[in-house]
Amino acid sequence: MYPRKKKKVKQKKRNKKMSSSSSRNAFEDGKYKTDLLTLDSSSRCCKMMPASRASPSPPKQLLVATPVEEGEYPVVMLLHGYLLYNSFYSQLMLHVSSHGFILIAPQLYSIAGPDTMDEIKSTVEIIDWLSVGLNHFLPAQVIPNLSKFVLSGHSRGGKTAFAVALKKFGYSSDLKISTLIGIDPVDGTWKGQQTPPPVLAYEPNSFDLDKMPVLVIGSGLGETARNPLFPPCAPPRVNHREFFRECQSPAWHFVAKDYGHLDMLDDDTKGIRGKSSYCLCKNGEERRPMRRFVGGIVVSFLKAYLEGDDFELVKIKDGCHEGVPVEIQEFEVTI
């Protein structure tokens, strides 16, 4: 079904017009109605429980996108990027959730520390909380399927996701991670200037993830500085290319041409940090196509590896999916 050897191709320019929404187009909204919830220390359980068995509040504030229809759904945790808010990912989260997934985005910090150790520790604490707390804060008819748990992250959050999955720095959870996703992951500003503790070892196929399927998504403009005053937001030697290079199979790598490191965020990101997200990185013309691309690739990958439905992932791989909203600059897969 998939090539046995590493394959790298440049896709031909495609018609960027998205096809009409359907159950077989992961790049458009799915069939499930969704809701966006905020959970923190003041949140009350949605499901009735005796006072003596009240569920503990989450360790960090969480943004949750969930289907509202009755059912059992896989759970995807999304870790935000450097100095960003989890709320900046709400449109992406709702897109993925509409295809039958529960999305959990913790706010790991307000002010970033000099290293990612606190983020790694907090991520593990939240993962451990999911088994005892998440179910009680969801709508009564919605059940989280934690046997299909996905860890993902964007930018510095992508680095954190890899660090947790690799169990490198003394923190690990009992909950098994089914698949790992890095959305334009970044390990620092340059080789030798990695944010401590470094994740990249600069040894091909050195990530020992016990055959965990991995998806790495990159931005074509991430390596380009917006102006001489600011460095690239996803610099060479510490970005998606190196993360994919160190993955063992099965691993997938997609790069979107003409879109930047923050182009998967919401159209309207408020506040000083939200406004700065338009100024610090080299961006594409608009965010919606990149956001739809990231959402669609994530959905197609998860359908393939969690549900055994590889219809759309194969079509994307073969370059014949008419719904792809951007030009794919590079594609690699190791199986």
Side-chain angles (χ1 to χ4, degrees):
M1 176 178 64
Y2 300 124
R4 294 292 176 181
K5 297 181 179 179
K6 183 175 179 179
K7 179 180 179 182
K8 183 173 182 178
V9 297
K10 286 193 175 182
Q11 301 259 355
K12 294 182 179 180
K13 189 171 183 179
R14 307 182 50 81
N15 180 1
K16 295 184 182 180
K17 183 178 179 181
M18 286 183 277
S19 60
S20 61
S21 176
S22 74
S23 61
R24 304 302 281 180
N25 187 357
F27 299 100
E28 293 287 354
D29 289 340
K31 65 180 182 179
Y32 294 96
K33 294 181 179 179
T34 58
D35 195 9
L36 199 61
L37 313 172
T38 299
L39 307 182
D40 54 29
S41 58
S42 64
S43 299
R44 300 182 62 182
C45 297
C46 294
K47 298 175 182 177
M48 296 300 294
M49 294 182 63
S52 61
R53 296 180 56 198
S55 177
S57 299
K60 295 282 186 177
Q61 185 257 4
L62 305 178
L63 188 66
V64 179
T66 177
V68 297
E69 299 174 33
E70 182 177 358
E72 186 175 26
Y73 305 98
V75 176
V76 182
M77 181 177 288
L78 173 63
L79 308 180
H80 62 81
Y82 181 61
L83 296 180
L84 299 176
Y85 292 124
N86 55 4
S87 59
F88 292 173
Y89 299 85
S90 60
Q91 289 178 286
L92 174 62
M93 293 172 65
L94 288 169
H95 177 174
V96 176
S97 182
S98 73
H99 288 271
F101 300 93
I102 298 169
L103 275 289
I104 311 288
Q107 187 62 46
L108 293 174
Y109 55 82
S110 294
I111 300 175
D115 59 49
T116 57
M117 286 305 299
D118 284 345
E119 292 142 71
I120 293 168
K121 179 182 177 183
S122 294
T123 298
V124 171
E125 290 174 348
I126 297 165
I127 293 173
D128 287 338
W129 174 86
L130 295 177
S131 328
V132 297
L134 177 60
N135 181 52
H136 305 298
F137 291 91
L138 296 173
Q141 69 279 13
V142 174
I143 301 173
N145 183 355
L146 290 172
S147 68
K148 296 179 178 179
F149 173 67
V150 180
L151 185 58
S152 68
H154 168 232
S155 189
R156 176 161 158 160
K159 166 198 173 83
T160 301
F162 271 86
V164 172
L166 288 164
K167 303 178 182 180
K168 269 194 166 185
F169 307 112
Y171 294 103
S172 63
S173 173
D174 292 334
L175 184 62
K176 181 180 178 181
I177 301 171
S178 298
T179 65
L180 176 64
I181 300 173
I183 303 171
D184 225 13
V186 177
D187 197 18
T189 58
W190 191 256
K191 182 180 179 181
Q193 299 177 1
Q194 296 159 261
T195 306
V199 171
L200 294 172
Y202 298 96
E203 297 178 7
N205 311 122
S206 60
F207 287 165
D208 184 5
L209 292 164
D210 195 23
K211 299 183 179 180
M212 180 190 304
V214 181
L215 170 65
V216 179
I217 301 173
S219 60
L221 298 179
E223 297 178 339
T224 304
R226 182 178 178 87
N227 58 55
L229 298 178
F230 297 107
C233 288
R237 304 295 289 152
V238 287
N239 65 13
H240 58 95
R241 301 183 196 282
E242 297 298 332
F243 277 88
F244 176 75
R245 190 172 291 124
E246 298 195 22
C247 288
Q248 299 175 4
S249 61
W252 296 71
H253 182 209
F254 294 90
V255 182
K257 186 178 181 181
D258 296 330
Y259 287 90
H261 184 63
L262 300 178
D263 281 338
M264 71 292 299
L265 300 183
D266 289 356
D267 290 325
D268 185 14
T269 46
K270 301 182 183 301
I272 295 176
R273 294 188 187 184
K275 300 303 180 185
S276 66
S277 71
Y278 286 94
C279 306
L280 298 178
C281 301
K282 181 74 171 177
N283 302 318
E285 293 182 0
E286 58 176 320
R287 287 179 170 178
R288 186 176 187 272
M290 181 60 171
R291 188 171 60 246
R292 291 286 173 172
F293 174 71
V294 171
I297 293 293
V298 167
V299 168
S300 301
F301 176 78
L302 295 182
K303 291 284 188 182
Y305 282 99
L306 297 184
E307 301 178 8
D309 179 4
D310 63 0
F311 176 80
E312 289 201 88
L313 190 60
V314 169
K315 292 194 72 172
I316 297 167
K317 174 182 72 69
D318 293 340
C320 58
H321 194 303
E322 296 181 355
V324 179
V326 305
E327 182 179 346
I328 297 178
Q329 178 176 308
E330 298 173 36
F331 161 68
E332 300 173 79
V333 58
T334 59
I335 299 295

